[in-house]
Amino acid sequence: MDRDLLSHLPVVVAVARRGGFALAAAELGMSPSAVSHAVRLVEERIGQPLFARTTRSVSLTEAGKALVETAAPALQDIAERMDRIRGIRGRPAGLLRINVSHIAIPMAVTPVVAAMAERYPDVTVELFADQGLVDIVGEGFDAGIRLGEMIAQDMVAVRLTPAFSVMIVASPAYIGRNGRPASVADLANHNCIGYRLVRSGALYRWDLREDGKDVVVETGGTAIVTDSFAAIDLALAGVGLAYVFEPLARAHVAAGRLVQVLPQSAIEEPGLFLYFPRRSAMAPKLRAFIDTAQEIGRASSRTPGRAA
């Protein structure tokens, strides 16, 4: 076994995963020159290039793809086994990488990470906020957090939140100037804050209910965002109608800063779930996160006066 080759394989995998030397260097805590040196050493040992480099991009060669497809799962398995060995002493340890949508952080993740910091100081939780769906295994994540309907069937899914509705909200000032829409058709006469899907670039069409049926509505307006929090901020400023998850707007509605319109047209989402491949279920660091999240969820459900 070539020990130099083995020790540099994680660097090669990181460059492939992050799509560049600088990003891999930042992730690994190395200098870009050290990363480049490690990749060059592996290429010399193998006798062929692993990456096709241009001034703008870095991509795997055929040999590089074959190496990464072999090395990445093996390195992940070694990391998980090491975490399990550390867990034998009774304390989960290691880096827990979770790919999470932006909206999930305040809705489901923040209290769990806070509790983890107290209970499991040897576990570092890395949250990678991403608006789109990614291959969590291929990208080197231990788990992801998304709406239940977005999760592939071959993943294990653990509920983090109850189901919740989607609200259309506006500020009292906007309602005072423009009135309330009385029907889904009235949305065409209102300034609706659009939502751009980052991955596809398409504008999201609002999913609503009308006369007991699901409908999809194209909206238009003077503002487009890629983040639900930006939509809420614009709604608070009186710009227009925002289409947001109820838990994100709940406090503003309760305080009178926002007003819900067309409540009869609101749909219900299944809730947020943590998901991961089946082979990761026994990793102590992930088990600790799941147990902590479920404990917090049970405590929240028992809190008097908690909104569903």
Side-chain angles (χ1 to χ4, degrees), residues 113-257:
V113 175
M116 290 281 291
E118 293 292 329
R119 300 177 185 181
Y120 306 107
D122 294 331
V123 175
T124 298
V125 181
E126 179 180 350
L127 302 175
F128 189 94
D130 195 338
Q131 296 294 73
L133 281 174
V134 300
D135 176 3
I136 60 171
V137 176
E139 295 291 327
F141 294 102
D142 298 288
I145 298 176
R146 290 295 187 279
L147 293 173
E149 64 192 22
M150 301 172 71
I151 299 172
Q153 293 184 352
D154 61 346
M155 292 284 174
V156 177
V158 177
R159 178 177 290 279
L160 295 180
T161 73
F164 47 76
S165 64
V166 182
M167 306 175 74
I168 301 175
V169 295
S171 70
Y174 177 88
I175 298 297
R177 293 194 309 269
N178 301 280
R180 291 172 178 260
S183 67
V184 170
D186 279 352
L187 293 175
N189 302 316
H190 281 267
N191 197 24
C192 297
I193 299 166
Y195 185 83
R196 179 82 65 187
L197 299 173
V198 175
R199 294 282 177 176
S200 68
L203 283 175
Y204 182 76
R205 297 185 297 170
W206 293 6
D207 292 311
L208 298 167
R209 296 280 293 174
E210 186 176 34
D211 298 327
K213 298 180 181 179
D214 293 334
V215 295
V216 178
V217 180
E218 292 187 6
T219 60
T222 61
I224 297 172
V225 300
T226 58
D227 184 277
S228 295
F229 300 108
I232 290 175
D233 285 344
L234 292 175
L236 288 167
V239 172
L241 304 178
Y243 179 92
V244 296
F245 294 145
E246 184 273 335
L248 298 178
R250 181 183 300 155
H252 294 300
V253 172
R257 294 185 293 268

Side-chain angles (χ1 to χ4, degrees), residues 76-97:
Q76 180 68 18
D77 184 59
I78 291 170
E80 290 177 359
R81 289 176 183 272
M82 291 299 295
D83 286 342
R84 290 171 190 168
I85 291 170
R86 294 189 189 103
I88 292 174
R89 60 180 174 156
R91 296 187 67 87
L95 176 64
L96 180 64
R97 302 186 73 234

